[in-house]
Amino acid sequence: DSVDLIKKLLSGQWPVAATLDLHGANSSQAAERFDRFLHSCLEHRVRCVCIVHGKGYGSAEGTAVLKDQVQSWLKNLDAVLAFAPAPENMGGTGAQIVLLKATETA
């Protein structure tokens, strides 16, 4: 189940193979980069990635706009099996560790 998946994810069962850093991006830049990054990861069969969205300290309102956006994008993607806030040494609440489905080759 998903709780087990998240525990395994956070215990490092799948090493993070790629990282996307969205620091400083606005919403539309972030959306485009997120899209390209995930597409590329799926294409190259990367299973575990880290998406750094920051904690919102740099945003105009001081709120983590990208954090909410990234989480909502992840929730709506079929290719995402699980995601959770990153361990402290990888960005903590300013990043998400994401487990992607293994893709079948055509």
Side-chain angles (χ1 to χ4, degrees), residues 3-25:
V3 173
D4 279 352
L5 265 183
I6 289 171
K7 278 185 186 148
K8 287 177 179 170
L9 184 58
L10 293 175
S11 72
Q13 175 147 347
W14 296 279
V16 170
T19 300
L20 172 65
D21 190 341
L22 295 173
H23 270 119

Side-chain angles (χ1 to χ4, degrees), residues 4 7 10 12-13 34 39 44 52 61 75-76 82 86 104-106:
D4 279 352
K7 278 185 186 148
L10 293 175
Q13 175 147 347
F34 177 88
H39 187 78
H44 296 98
V52 181
E61 297 81 33
K75 280 182 193 133
N76 293 314
E104 301 301 315
T105 49

Side-chain angles (χ1 to χ4, degrees), residues 76-87:
N76 293 314
L77 276 177
D78 285 344
V80 173
L81 280 179
F83 65 93

